[in-house]
């Protein structure tokens, strides 16, 4: 693989773009060697969903688009960043029992740390911000497979010649 791979997509700040961002990132990483049906891919899907959702919901209409950047350095370090043009940095909100939102950054931080990575928030030159995660790139040896268990009284279907 190359020493440095990168990909980027800019999407409208619309709830439908969250799914598009998630799909773009995972399909790109599959092209780079990450099997789609792994715990790592599922974790990345969730992180991208939270990052993109934050870019859509918390920019208060002041960022018409957001950009998702993906970089892989030397087959060792994966960076995924979401940039919007809203100047306000994300805030960690107190977790009230009745609260429906405000936990996304906590989820991102926890998942990233669990994978041995880190979360960063940086201002952009244009006055917005980039919220990014950096993870060690560990391509699994094989995808996670679902094991189907049969009840003892069931017999497997007969093979047809």
């Amino acid at each position: 693989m190359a020493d440095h791979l990168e990909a980027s997509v800019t999407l409208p700040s619309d709830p439908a773009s969250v799914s598009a961002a998630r799909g773009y990132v995972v399909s790109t990483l599959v092209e780079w060697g990450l099997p789609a049906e792994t715990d790592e891919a599922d974790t990345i899907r969730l992180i991208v969903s939270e990052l993109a959702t934050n870019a859509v919901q918390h920019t208060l209409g002041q960022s018409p688009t957001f950009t998702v950047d993906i970089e892989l350095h030397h087959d060792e370090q994966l960076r995924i960043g979401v940039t919007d043009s809203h100047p306000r940095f994300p805030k960690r909100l107190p977790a009230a029992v009745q609260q429906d939102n405000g936990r996304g950054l906590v989820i991102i931080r926890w998942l990233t740390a669990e994978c041995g990575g880190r979360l960063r928030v940086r201002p952009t030159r244009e006055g917005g911000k980039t919220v990014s995660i950096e993870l060690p790139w560990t391509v699994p040896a094989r995808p996670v497979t679902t094991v189907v268990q049969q009840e003892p009284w069931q017999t497997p279907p007969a093979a047809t010649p």
Side-chain angles (χ1 to χ4, degrees), residues 73-89:
H73 300 282
H74 304 290
D75 279 347
E76 295 174 0
Q77 184 81 18
L78 175 67
R79 187 182 89 63
I80 300 171
V82 174
T83 303
D84 63 59
S85 58
H86 192 283
R88 186 181 64 181
F89 275 42

Side-chain angles (χ1 to χ4, degrees), residues 105-143:
L105 203 57
V106 173
I107 292 168
I108 295 165
R109 183 172 279 124
W110 185 84
L111 288 170
T112 301
E114 184 181 66
C115 295
R118 66 181 179 164
L119 171 72
R120 295 177 58 168
V121 182
R122 295 175 308 217
T124 64
R125 289 184 192 141
E126 297 79 25
K129 67 187 162 302
T130 300
V131 181
S132 63
I133 56 135
E134 295 173 0
L135 301 172
W137 178 256
T138 55
V139 176
R142 58 189 158 120

Side-chain angles (χ1 to χ4, degrees), residues 20-58:
R22 188 174 51 238
Y24 177 79
V25 169
V26 171
S27 66
T28 299
L29 296 180
V30 166
E31 286 178 24
W32 295 353
L34 179 68
E37 302 304 320
T38 61
D39 289 340
E40 291 83 358
D42 287 343
T43 298
I44 290 169
R45 278 185 192 95
L46 181 53
I47 290 170
V48 171
S49 289
E50 292 296 332
L51 289 172
T53 297
N54 284 350
V56 170
Q57 287 186 346
H58 300 296

